[in-house]
């Protein structure tokens, strides 16, 4: 678990943690798969893809940054093309990362959660 001492600079993240969204049994003969991630909490920084913690969180001064597999901020609330889809269909996964992000000079440890909605579109 991260410690408050891990957060050294304002508006910077700590080491991202990878996660993936599995896409199982995708149909064949689609042109593309698009996906979008919409926060259910407020956006702290749209350009950096940082969202606020959920209301039950007790930590303060941090948000959560959503990143693609290359550590670039993933655009929130807009369609992203899943480039690994092949027309034969099958099982895939979307590799993503999340990182706690220092967004205030004063931070306090505690529970630090957020939530997002994932939507996928076959075209």
């Amino acid at each position: 678990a991260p410690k408050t001492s891990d957060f050294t600079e304002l508006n910077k993240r700590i080491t991202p943690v990878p996660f993936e969204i599995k896409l199982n049994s995708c149909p064949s003969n689609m042109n593309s798969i698009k996906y979008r991630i919409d926060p259910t909490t407020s956006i702290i920084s749209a350009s950096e893809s940082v969202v606020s913690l959920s209301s039950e969180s007790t930590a303060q001064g941090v948000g959560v940054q959503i990143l693609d597999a290359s550590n670039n901020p993933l655009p929130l609330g807009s369609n992203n093309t899943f480039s690994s889809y092949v027309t034969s269909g099958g099982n895939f996964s979307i590799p993503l990362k999340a990182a706690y992000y220092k967004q205030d000079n004063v931070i306090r440890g505690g529970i630090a959660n957020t939530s997002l909605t994932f939507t996928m579109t076959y075209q």
Side-chain angles (χ1 to χ4, degrees):
K3 300 176 190 147
T4 55
S5 60
D6 294 338
F7 297 91
T8 57
E9 293 183 59
L10 185 62
N11 297 321
K12 296 290 182 183
R13 66 176 174 251
I14 61 172
T15 304
V17 175
F19 69 97
E20 60 185 27
I21 297 175
K22 294 195 178 278
L23 308 176
N24 294 325
S25 302
C26 293
S28 60
N29 299 317
M30 297 288 125
N31 292 324
S32 68
I33 294 177
K34 295 192 183 288
Y35 66 96
R36 67 184 280 149
I37 295 180
D38 292 291
T40 60
T41 61
S42 60
I43 295 175
I44 294 170
S45 171
S47 64
E48 293 297 315
S49 301
V50 179
V51 298
S52 65
L53 301 180
S54 52
S55 61
E56 72 277 359
S57 296
T58 56
Q60 293 180 346
V62 298
V64 176
Q65 185 179 42
I66 306 302
L67 307 159
D68 65 17
S70 300
N71 290 330
N72 299 309
L74 183 76
L76 301 172
S78 61
N79 285 331
N80 300 283
T81 300
F82 176 59
S83 60
S84 296
Y85 174 75
V86 293
T87 57
S88 59
N91 299 328
F92 306 96
S93 66
I94 300 172
L96 299 171
K97 295 181 182 181
Y100 289 116
Y101 187 94
K102 184 176 181 180
Q103 53 98 23
D104 198 324
N105 282 319
V106 178
I107 59 173
R108 187 176 93 196
I111 297 168
N113 296 323
T114 194
S115 63
L116 303 123
T117 300
F118 172 79
T119 305
M120 185 175 68
T121 306
Y122 291 108
Q123 296 182 323

